[in-house]
Amino acid sequence: MLCKVFILSLGIYSLVSCTSQKNVNAYGKEAESIDLSEGQQKLLKEYPLQIKFNRIVEESRCPEGVDCIWAGVAVAEVELTDKAAKPIILNLATTDMQAKGYQKSTNFNGYTIALQNVAPYPTAERGTQDLKGNYKISISVQKK
């Protein structure tokens, strides 16, 4: 009997932990995550939005293997098009810093757009010059 209770409890815990890890908003919709290479654009499946990753406009992240005073930031230029509005260009950063105007996420026509990741990360050997044209970003989009 104790074994059955334990297995049932473990099953319920597994179900609860799975649903708690989903990124769901108040309307029950999950955030859509997309990956883009420089110059690539995608039409989102869940939402009537088209997103284009134009380029990295700033890359000052501290290279791996180097001790820096400041962690730095990467800023991605992203173009959003919604069928109800004109295209807009946003700069999304890897960190929020109001003093410098950096923001990781923004709101656009009822959507929250957030930069999740910028790759590759600069290294001491490679620097940032050979990264141009090779960047990839991950963005999440969620209906507010």
Side-chain angles (χ1 to χ4, degrees), residues 95-137:
T95 187
D96 283 320
M97 188 179 292
Q98 288 183 339
K100 293 198 175 237
Y102 299 141
Q103 57 185 15
K104 283 186 72 148
S105 66
T106 191
N107 295 319
F108 170 74
N109 285 356
Y111 299 94
T112 299
I113 316 295
L115 181 65
Q116 301 298 315
N117 189 38
V118 175
Y121 203 90
T123 63
E125 301 83 35
R126 192 171 59 203
T128 60
Q129 289 304 321
D130 65 336
L131 298 180
K132 287 188 178 197
N134 296 312
Y135 282 105
K136 295 180 187 228
I137 61 171

Side-chain angles (χ1 to χ4, degrees), residues 53-128:
F53 171 32
N54 290 334
R55 63 192 176 110
I56 294 293
V57 294
E58 181 178 336
E59 172 63 280
S60 63
R61 294 179 292 174
C62 182
E64 291 175 346
V66 176
D67 291 327
C68 298
I69 297 171
W70 188 61
V73 65
V75 180
E77 181 182 281
V78 177
E79 185 175 329
L80 299 174
T81 307
D82 182 354
K83 62 182 178 181
K86 291 182 180 180
I88 185 169
I89 293 186
L90 302 172
N91 287 327
L92 298 174
T94 53
T95 187
D96 283 320
M97 188 179 292
Q98 288 183 339
K100 293 198 175 237
Y102 299 141
Q103 57 185 15
K104 283 186 72 148
S105 66
T106 191
N107 295 319
F108 170 74
N109 285 356
Y111 299 94
T112 299
I113 316 295
L115 181 65
Q116 301 298 315
N117 189 38
V118 175
Y121 203 90
T123 63
E125 301 83 35
R126 192 171 59 203
T128 60

Side-chain angles (χ1 to χ4, degrees), residues 27-48:
Y27 299 105
K29 291 201 175 194
E30 292 184 46
E32 185 170 340
S33 182
I34 61 167
D35 298 318
L36 295 164
S37 298
E38 275 184 272
Q40 185 180 18
Q41 64 185 17
K42 286 187 180 177
L43 182 63
L44 301 184
K45 295 175 190 170
E46 184 73 26
Y47 307 116

